[in-house]
Each structure stands twice: as structure tokens, then as C-alpha cells.
Amino acid sequence: MTNPAASTGPAASRIPEEVHRRRWAILAVLMLSLLIVVLDNSILNVAIKTISTPAPTGLGATQSELEWAINSYTLVFAGLLFSAGLLGDRIGRKKVLLGGLAVFGIGSALAAESGSPAQLIAFRAVMALGAAFVMPATLAVLMNVFEREEQPKAIGLWAGGVGLAIAIGPITGGLLLDHFWWGSVFLINVPIVLLAIALMVWLVPDSRDPNPGRIDPVGVVLSVVGLVLLVYGIIKGGELADFSDPTVLSTIGAGLVVLVAFVLFEKRSDHPSIDVTYFKNKVFSAAITVIALVFFALMGVTFFAVFYTQSVRGYSPLQTGLLMLPLAAAQMIFAPRARLVVDRFGIKITTTTAMLVIAATLVAFATLDEDTPIWILEVVFFFMGAGMAHIMTPTSVVIMQALPREKAGSASALSNTFRQVGGALGIAVLGSVLSTTYRTGIEDRLGALPPGLRDTAGESIEATLGVAARLGDQGRALVGPADAAFLHAMHVTALWGAGVALVGAVVVGMFLPGRPKAPQEAEKDEDLVRAES
């Protein structure tokens, strides 16, 4: 039998020539599939203010319900990602991609017809069920159709697709909300899903791991239950503006206990959802951690930025989408080129500098006011997108090349799991900081209102402005204090996010490598890992 370690021939020997010839067309289909999943979240960011508006314009969702509309998606997504990656490794990534897209399309159609915030939360979870099978499979297929030396370029373009979705999403959402009802931001996914399925059947080859892992249902249940309890407790604490409440403490405590049980179970399992041995590699662990931290900071910021532009500054959903263009443009410009910066300066310097740029942009958010020139916000968004591009591409390459090609689904799933968990916790924690600080800042101005109305008005700036509109001339006096309380809450929340980004810069500076290995050396390392396995 041939020794795998001795196989030092070209990567083309592992990739059929027919697949190799159409690899860029396959990448385009994979990016379209990825675009659908990311597009949904970027569209929703613009629509959350409309959804919070009372019927018939919206659903009258409270701030905590809005957080759950986002987090029901991210938690189910994160909880199922790794098992979805393993299932793709086992039965074939193309089959999993097609099934995931179909479920995502059905969930989108149901979400568009939601009659209450509770229905929207439930149908967003269905969408996440489908998306969990799409995201890891796209990157796993990519790793199996590109040669090792082309993988960084392909991953850069793949990451640039995220920037494209971020650009298209808010503008598309704004146009739809200007002409149609709020549910159109979900219905738009359906024709894109149908196109992606047709192209995938035609172009994308199937691939699988010859030695796949077994599915771990106990691990999946423990991880999802633990995360839901933890996030619910954090959001509830922000809603009550009291983290010492017994319900809040017991829920957070229960979530932490279940997550600890999950880790212990995974360590002892012979077929874990998350193979903890991967984390013995400090570089791999650092890259995963940084992805979680950067999305923790950025998802929280995106949540309050929409209320700043629409509620405080008075911009429409479409104008808000256009204001976010620099963020997306910077990602599209720099993500495919980040590998060139890494080649010149190394991974450590590139990503540490990018994390410091992210921290600086978050500090800049703490200086924005109701009359700040809008071009300053545009500059902040641009640098934020540039920083993100120089983090996501290098760390994605590090993660995907840390494991053998056959484990691409597992590596992709781990990367996306930690990104989604980081984003969900960012929305929960920073959203709770925003909610608690806002309630503290506005409650003194609500003393003249009836107790029930006072509690409702203190939930968020949209709730305050909604009550003010119902009170007519009497409520007009609440608008100024609401804006001031929100700006103070936004400043505090942005500084919390900046602190998290600085922690990420320290992790990067301590553990990520200086320069990437040459393709030939990396190929030999992969062969050795495969031989040892």
C-alpha cells in the first residue's frame, strides 16, 4: 500500500481535472449560497426598527423580542453547525447543501407571513435549521475543489462574498421596506434559493470524508440548551435592568452548568460534536477565539447602529442601507487582497493591527452625537469593514489549513459555530448593556406616566417614541430625553465592545504565527497529519 506521507505530487492528483477546470464557477455558486444566508441577517438589521413598529406597519416587537428574532436564528445555527458539518462529511456535502437551501427557503416564506413576534422567532429558527447545513458545506466544498496554493485566494473571494451580502442586504431591505410590507425582506430569499439550487445541481460536485465521525445527538442537545438558557438569562437581565433578579441569576447559572456538562461529555465521548483535541493547537484555538470576539463586538454594534441612524438621526431604512455601504465596500475591496498583506507582514502583525483598528472604530462610536457630520460615520464604517476583512481572511485560512483536507467540514463548522456563538452573545450582552443603560437614563423622565405605560416606555428608544406619539403634545417632551438617553447608552455599549476587541488583539499578538508556511511545506504537513491519522 502506498504511504500517504510519500505522496508529494501536485494537488491536482487529488482533484479530478473536470472539477479543477470549473472550480471558479463552482466558487461562484458557493458564494451565491453563502450570500443568501448572510443576506438574510444584513436585511434584518435594517428592518428591525420597522418590525418594532406597531401593526399594521410592523409587529410591535419589543427590544427583547427583536433580540430573540436575531438570536433564535444564531443559536439554532450555532448549535447545529458542527453536526451539520459531520453529516455533510458522512453523506455528501452537495446533498446537505441542497437540503439546507430547501429548508431555508421554506422557513423564509413562513417568516414573511408571521402574524406575531412569537411566530417570527419560531420561523427564524426554521431558517437557521437550513442555514446550518449550508454554511459549513460551502467552505468544505471549496477546500475540496481548489489546490492548496489557491485556497487562500479562494477563501479571500469567499470572504468577499460576505462583504457583498452586507452591501446588498441593507440596500435591498431599504428598497423593499419603501415599497412593500416588512415580510418582503424574508420573501426575497425564495427566488434566490431556487436559483442557487438549480445551479448547484448542474455544477457542484459531491464530496465526503472517507472516515466520517458519528453524529452526537446528546452533545447537540446539551450545547443548544446551554446556550439558549445563558442567552435568555442575559437578555432577561437587560430587559429588567436588574441582573441580580433570581430568575436571571438562576437561568444564567443553569446555562453555564449545562455548558460545563457539554464540555465534560465531549471530552469523554468517542464521537464528540466538537473534538476538543483540535484545541490543543494554540494557533487554531487563538484563531477561533478571535473570530468569536470580533463578531461579539461587531454584532452588538450593528444592533444599536440601526437605531442610531433611524431613531435618532431620522434616516429611512433605504438611507440606512446606503449609509452602511462603506462597511461592505471595504470588505469587498480588502478581503480578497488581505492575503497579500499577510504575505508581506505576516499573520500576527496583520490581524493584531486589524483588531486595534476595530477597537478604534468602536471607540469612535462613543463620540457620535445627534448632530455629528454623517461623513464621520461613513469613515468609521469603512475602517470597520477594512479591519474585519484583515481578520476574517487570515484566520479562516489558519483554521481551514490546520486540519487535513478530509476534515474541511469539521474545520468550517467549528469556525462558523464560534462566529455565531460570539455574535449571539454579543447581541445578548451588548444589547442588555444598551437596554439597561437606556432604562436607567430615561426612567426619571417617565415618572408622570401611568405605571404600566412607564414600564413599556422604558424598554427601548422605539418604545419611548411610540408612547410619545400616542400622547401627542404631552409626549413631545419625551423625544429629547429619549435621544439623549439612547446616545449615552450607545456610547457605553460601544466602549464595552472596544474592550472586547482589545482582548482579541492581545490573543492575536500572543498566539498567531508570524508568516504563513509555503504551499509545498504546508502540503507536506497535511500529508504527515493524514498519515498519522
Side-chain angles (χ1 to χ4, degrees):
M1 187 173 69
T2 303
N3 182 358
S7 178
T8 56
S13 63
R14 296 178 190 152
I15 303 171
E17 180 60 30
E18 183 184 355
V19 172
H20 182 71
R21 283 200 306 268
R22 65 174 192 264
R23 65 194 184 282
W24 297 110
I26 293 169
L27 177 61
V29 178
L30 297 176
M31 288 174 64
L32 178 63
S33 304
L34 175 71
L35 182 143
I36 300 167
V37 176
V38 180
L39 182 75
D40 176 71
N41 278 327
S42 59
I43 283 181
L44 183 61
N45 286 335
V46 174
I48 54 177
K49 179 181 180 295
T50 305
I51 294 172
S52 69
T53 306
T57 303
L59 292 176
T62 65
Q63 182 158 313
S64 62
E65 287 171 335
L66 289 174
E67 290 177 36
W68 273 114
I70 297 172
N71 279 339
S72 66
Y73 184 95
T74 53
L75 288 175
V76 172
F77 192 37
L80 295 177
L81 264 175
F82 204 82
S83 291
L86 286 175
L87 195 61
D89 291 343
R90 175 178 287 274
I91 69 172
R93 283 103 184 207
K94 180 176 181 176
K95 297 182 185 69
V96 162
L97 266 171
L98 291 171
L101 284 171
V103 172
F104 184 85
I106 292 169
S108 297
L110 293 172
E113 298 298 329
S114 299
S116 68
Q119 288 184 6
L120 178 61
I121 292 168
F123 293 140
R124 287 273 296 163
V126 173
M127 294 170 65
L129 175 64
F133 288 88
V134 172
M135 181 71 87
T138 60
L139 201 48
V141 171
L142 181 154
M143 297 299 287
N144 279 275
V145 299
F146 282 91
E147 299 171 1
R148 181 103 189 186
E149 58 269 20
E150 285 187 322
Q151 286 173 5
K153 181 179 180 181
I155 291 175
L157 291 170
W158 181 87
V162 176
L164 179 64
I166 294 174
I168 295 174
I171 297 171
T172 305
L175 285 169
L176 290 170
L177 291 172
D178 273 2
H179 295 91
F180 305 102
W181 92 116
W182 64 267
S184 60
V185 301
F186 298 110
L187 199 59
I188 190 65
N189 294 331
V190 177
I192 305 176
V193 163
L194 294 175
L195 175 62
I197 288 175
L199 291 173
M200 195 167 295
V201 169
W202 178 34
L203 286 171
V204 176
D206 207 354
S207 63
R208 68 186 71 194
D209 184 349
N211 299 297
R214 290 159 55 196
I215 304 300
D216 174 26
V218 176
V220 172
V221 172
L222 287 175
S223 63
V224 172
V225 170
L227 285 170
V228 168
L229 287 172
L230 178 62
V231 171
Y232 177 82
I234 294 170
I235 292 176
K236 191 67 177 178
E239 184 182 341
L240 299 175
D242 181 11
F243 281 87
S244 63
D245 182 84
T247 302
V248 173
L249 290 176
S250 61
T251 307
I252 292 176
L256 292 173
V257 168
V258 174
L259 290 175
V260 169
F262 166 71
V263 173
L264 294 175
F265 179 83
E266 297 299 285
K267 289 178 70 174
R268 293 190 171 98
S269 175
D270 60 353
H271 57 285
S273 286
I274 295 179
D275 189 341
V276 294
T277 60
Y278 295 158
F279 294 93
K280 292 179 180 179
N281 183 328
K282 291 182 180 179
V283 172
F284 181 85
S285 298
I288 286 281
T289 301
V290 168
I291 284 180
L293 290 175
V294 75
F295 270 83
F296 181 101
L298 289 176
M299 288 295 285
V301 169
T302 304
F303 187 76
F304 68 64
V306 172
F307 287 100
Y308 170 71
T309 55
Q310 294 189 38
S311 299
V312 177
R313 301 300 297 263
Y315 289 101
S316 69
L318 176 57
Q319 290 170 327
T320 297
L322 293 171
L323 288 175
M324 289 185 175
L325 265 180
L327 174 68
Q331 285 202 51
M332 286 191 292
I333 292 169
F334 293 112
R337 295 171 175 80
R339 63 190 174 85
L340 303 177
V341 181
V342 170
D343 289 343
R344 180 166 183 178
F345 298 104
I347 295 173
K348 185 190 295 284
I349 292 177
T350 301
T351 50
T352 302
T353 302
M355 287 300 295
L356 292 174
V357 169
I358 292 288
T361 58
L362 292 169
V363 170
F365 260 103
T367 68
L368 299 179
D369 212 336
E370 57 188 340
D371 54 1
T372 300
I374 203 64
W375 65 265
I376 294 179
L377 178 64
E378 300 297 88
V379 171
V380 170
F381 274 146
F382 183 83
F383 277 99
M384 186 175 286
M388 192 172 178
H390 287 92
I391 294 166
M392 292 305 299
T393 300
T395 52
S396 294
V397 172
V398 166
I399 291 166
M400 295 306 293
Q401 294 189 345
L403 300 179
R405 186 190 299 265
E406 292 80 9
K407 301 298 180 183
S410 299
S412 173
L414 266 175
S415 172
N416 285 293
T417 295
F418 274 75
R419 183 175 71 177
Q420 294 298 324
V421 169
L425 291 176
I427 292 170
V429 173
L430 297 184
S432 294
V433 171
L434 182 74
S435 179
T436 301
T437 310
Y438 178 79
R439 185 183 287 274
T440 303
I442 196 67
E443 61 184 358
D444 290 343
R445 301 289 188 142
L446 304 177
L449 298 178
L453 203 57
R454 189 187 314 153
D455 187 62
T456 300
E459 286 184 353
S460 66
I461 184 172
E462 275 305 302
T464 306
L465 296 178
V467 170
R470 276 186 278 164
L471 295 175
D473 292 339
Q474 180 187 355
R476 203 165 297 144
L478 292 175
V479 175
D483 288 347
F486 177 82
L487 287 170
H488 173 65
M490 182 181 80
H491 295 163
V492 171
T493 306
L495 292 176
W496 273 63
V500 171
L502 288 174
V503 171
V506 172
V507 171
V508 168
M510 290 179 65
F511 296 109
L512 285 194
R515 291 185 180 275
K517 295 180 180 180
Q520 296 84 355
E521 183 182 352
E523 195 75 49
K524 289 179 182 178
D525 285 352
E526 182 181 325
D527 287 335
L528 289 172
V529 170
R530 185 182 293 104
E532 290 171 0
S533 299

